Amino acid sequence: MITEEQALDRSTQLVDALIDQLQRGGTPTRLVQTHISWVLLAGEFAWKIKKPVRFGFLDFSTLALRQRYCEEELRVNRRLAPALYLAVVPIRGTVEAPRLGNGAGEPDDEAHGEVIEFAVKMQRLPDDALASEELLREALSADDVVRFAQRLAAFHREAATPAPGNTYATPERIVAAALGPLAALPAGEPAAQGVDLARWFEAQAPLLAPLWTARRAHSRVRECHGDLHLDNVVRLGGELTAFDGIEFDDGLRFIDVLSDAGFLAMDLQAHRRPDLATVFLNAYLEVTGDYDGLPVLRFYMVYRAVVRAMVATLREAQGVRAPHALPAADYLALALRLTRQWDPRLLITHGLPGSGKSFVSQRVATACGAIRVRSDVERRRMLGSGRYAEVDSSAVYARLRAVAMSALEAGDPVVVDAACLQRGQRDALRAVAAAAKAPFAILDCTARDEVLRERVSARTAAGTDASEADTAVLDLLRERRVPLQPDELERTIRVDTEQPIATGAIAAAWLRMAPVGDEVDG
């Protein structure tokens, strides 16, 4: 029986022979390596061959296993990128003289030679189109990220749930998955950081276990992508598309949807774009309404940073170089930073329809890394319309308070984008901040009446905004509003939205606000 090192040498010879064969046939060929595969880029196609390796998290050590996982890779990734994944093809002949199949269903008989390996045939990716590459060129926009978040949310909604009796995403498996990659960290400082991270994971486990269990029961565990970092997102046809999902372990794919979404948010932070991470998360949460899961999101993001540190470590050990890949140290530093990051504070908006609340709050949330929840979106989610009946308003504000409390308990800053025209509505939200002993501020957005009417009319005509407030609603709310009182003005940040918005100044003013005491009754 050959050793893993011998099998790897044999497969390396096979790959070299294939490259030579393609080159002699007139097809310029380039090799790209990861820690678990070789990818041959030749003409308009790519062939991905799995390395005969065995790690704690995967086993590609036999030909039968590699065939099985090639077929699974095709199935898994056609869900998100059907145009990329073409076929599983056999490689026949000998290591010295291999013959690459064409994926056209050729007969599988001895006349064509023994199958010595398998490859996934793919459409070749466009050059420099990975999200990580676009980020380096500053070609990745907030709009790109929002549209991708919306498509990911739709994918998660339709993805399969695990079969009854499964043990996927149980508290025990989640913790084991988080602790496992730490064993791959090299001695010295990385290993010491791993000890600190292991202690944090173990301390969080009993606190989060009830929520993990509840999320399993409420179908928040789905067949996800499983490896959603920036190198596995590419621009195709003008839109970002995820590819190269996990095929080798069902347990790494049947996961909490927030573990999947949190992976990309983490990687955007690791690549020093916390603004895009915030835009992505808020767009995703706005579609899914999954704010109840915020307390588990930090755990998932720390875990995903550790996974990328492990991958970087394995690559470094194999001598595999990826030109734009981050080193393990960067991911470990982010993981530790996330464990210590704690900034619960609450900002609520105040203003009539058309006053620019959503425009300003979105920018402030992005600048501050805050979760933003919108009354108009939650109203539609709860009631199926944007009606402004009093009973609807009461239910919507109860929902906003619940989301705010969930975010504050998770240690996150949160912006509640709502009119908050009644003193009772504002007091109830202030009480949420008081219960969390968190800073509280009111963002008062104003504009002249004629500007309000112009904006509302234009928004109604466009029909693209979540708000269904028209000029009649504007007039009604103007009559019913209760002005901010002197004690509220002490915590108010005023913004004339007809003027340029000084986002940095607003964010700084919010940061300066002191925590709310116990002066407000719950």
Side-chain angles (χ1 to χ4, degrees):
M1 184 174 179
I2 65 173
T3 66
E4 182 176 308
E5 184 177 357
Q6 290 171 326
L8 197 57
D9 286 343
R10 177 179 178 276
S11 294
T12 301
Q13 293 175 37
L14 171 66
V15 168
D16 289 343
L18 284 171
I19 293 172
D20 183 61
Q21 181 186 108
L22 289 165
Q23 299 271 29
R24 283 189 285 106
T27 306
T29 304
R30 181 163 66 91
L31 175 66
V32 176
Q33 283 196 67
T34 73
H35 58 299
I36 60 174
S37 64
W38 293 283
V39 182
L40 280 61
L41 305 177
E44 62 179 307
F45 299 113
W47 284 269
K48 184 176 180 182
I49 301 170
K50 300 186 185 301
K51 292 182 176 180
V53 294
R54 178 188 293 152
F55 297 119
F57 58 92
L58 66 76
D59 186 357
F60 292 163
S61 59
T62 70
L63 180 63
L65 285 170
R66 294 194 293 279
Q67 178 184 9
R68 170 187 167 189
Y69 288 123
C70 281
E71 291 168 351
E72 186 69 346
E73 179 171 0
L74 195 71
R75 180 193 71 81
V76 165
N77 287 291
R78 278 181 167 173
R79 298 176 303 158
L80 283 161
L84 280 182
Y85 288 81
L86 304 177
V88 175
V89 299
I91 301 172
R92 303 176 185 275
T94 65
V95 171
E96 297 78 13
R99 191 170 71 83
L100 191 61
N102 60 20
E106 56 193 347
D108 187 15
D109 56 40
E110 294 182 3
H112 289 79
E114 179 186 0
V115 176
I116 59 173
E117 193 54 83
F118 291 90
V120 177
K121 184 179 181 180
M122 301 173 61
Q123 196 71 36
R124 183 171 177 174
L125 300 178
D127 291 339
D128 301 320
L130 296 180
S132 54
E133 295 166 333
E134 291 206 343
L135 202 65
L136 285 174
R137 300 196 310 272
E138 298 185 354
L140 198 63
S141 72
D143 287 343
D144 290 327
V145 168
V146 167
R147 290 195 300 274
F148 181 74
Q150 293 166 343
R151 287 195 299 278
L152 181 67
F155 167 70
H156 285 162
R157 183 176 61 247
E158 300 299 325
T161 54
N166 73 89
T167 60
Y168 299 134
T170 60
E172 295 77 16
R173 287 191 68 157
I174 292 171
V175 175
L179 293 173
L182 296 173
L185 299 180
E189 185 178 3
Q193 291 172 318
V195 170
D196 290 340
L197 288 165
R199 289 172 180 158
W200 185 84
F201 284 138
E202 290 165 348
Q204 291 295 305
L207 304 176
L208 298 177
L211 184 53
W212 283 328
T213 301
R215 291 180 65 76
R216 270 175 44 88
H218 290 92
S219 298
R220 294 299 188 181
V221 174
R222 299 271 175 162
E223 188 179 26
C224 296
H225 180 280
D227 198 22
L228 197 58
H229 53 82
L230 289 165
D231 283 344
N232 284 346
V233 178
V234 64
R235 189 180 296 278
L236 294 177
E239 297 292 347
L240 298 180
T241 300
F243 72 104
D244 203 18
I246 293 287
E247 83 283 5
F248 51 79
D249 186 340
D250 291 351
L252 295 179
R253 195 172 60 254
F254 279 97
I255 55 174
D256 191 323
V257 291
L258 281 182
S259 181
D260 218 29
F263 203 152
L264 189 64
M266 177 284 300
D267 212 24
L268 285 165
Q269 287 204 26
H271 285 77
R272 295 171 176 79
R273 289 305 302 268
D275 56 328
L276 290 182
T278 300
V279 167
F280 168 75
L281 276 178
N282 278 326
Y284 179 85
L285 292 169
E286 191 167 293
V287 174
T288 64
D290 195 12
Y291 297 99
D292 295 345
L294 287 172
V296 302
L297 181 60
R298 185 188 307 274
F299 186 100
Y300 290 140
M301 292 177 69
V302 174
Y303 156 51
R304 294 307 193 174
V306 170
V307 167
R308 292 307 289 164
M310 175 196 70
V311 169
T313 298
L314 293 174
R315 282 179 172 172
E316 291 160 10
Q318 292 184 0
V320 175
R321 297 286 181 264
H324 49 270
L326 298 180
D330 284 14
Y331 283 111
L332 287 175
L334 174 61
L336 289 167
R337 190 162 68 249
L338 287 170
T339 66
R340 300 161 185 160
Q341 189 172 295
W342 196 260
D343 184 23
R345 48 195 168 106
L346 174 59
L347 177 70
I348 69 171
T349 62
H350 171 261
L352 290 164
S355 61
K357 300 183 300 297
S358 295
F359 179 86
V360 179
S361 67
Q362 189 272 336
R363 282 154 180 76
V364 173
T366 300
C368 297
I371 300 299
R372 183 178 72 141
V373 58
R374 299 178 61 192
S375 61
D376 291 322
V377 172
E378 296 310 302
R379 179 181 293 108
R380 284 195 170 188
R381 194 189 321 279
M382 295 170 62
L383 306 169
S385 76
R387 296 171 297 151
Y388 278 81
E390 192 66 33
V391 63
D392 293 352
S393 179
S394 175
V396 170
Y397 275 88
R399 167 66 173 163
L400 297 177
R401 293 195 298 274
V403 171
M405 180 56 74
S406 183
L408 293 174
E409 288 178 346
D412 296 321
V414 57
V415 177
V416 173
D417 175 5
C420 296
L421 297 175
Q422 303 301 308
R423 176 68 193 248
Q425 295 164 345
R426 302 190 293 266
D427 281 351
L429 285 162
R430 181 170 175 162
V432 169
K437 296 181 172 55
F440 172 80
I442 301 170
L443 182 64
D444 181 32
C445 296
T446 63
R448 290 171 295 164
D449 285 350
E450 57 267 32
V451 174
L452 297 178
R453 297 187 72 82
E454 180 181 328
R455 289 174 178 173
V456 169
S457 295
R459 188 172 66 191
T460 302
T464 56
D465 193 81
S467 174
E468 293 185 2
D470 55 18
T471 53
V473 170
L474 171 62
D475 293 337
L476 178 65
L477 293 180
R478 183 186 288 109
E479 293 176 2
R480 292 184 175 180
R481 65 179 170 177
V482 176
L484 296 171
Q485 303 302 300
D487 62 311
E488 295 178 296
L489 293 174
E490 296 173 358
R491 291 184 173 271
T492 296
I493 305 166
R494 288 193 177 278
V495 180
D496 179 354
T497 60
E498 294 182 55
Q499 304 301 318
I501 306 301
T503 304
I506 297 169
W510 182 21
L511 189 61
R512 288 195 299 268
M513 292 291 175
V516 178
D518 298 326
E519 70 273 20
V520 179
D521 294 331

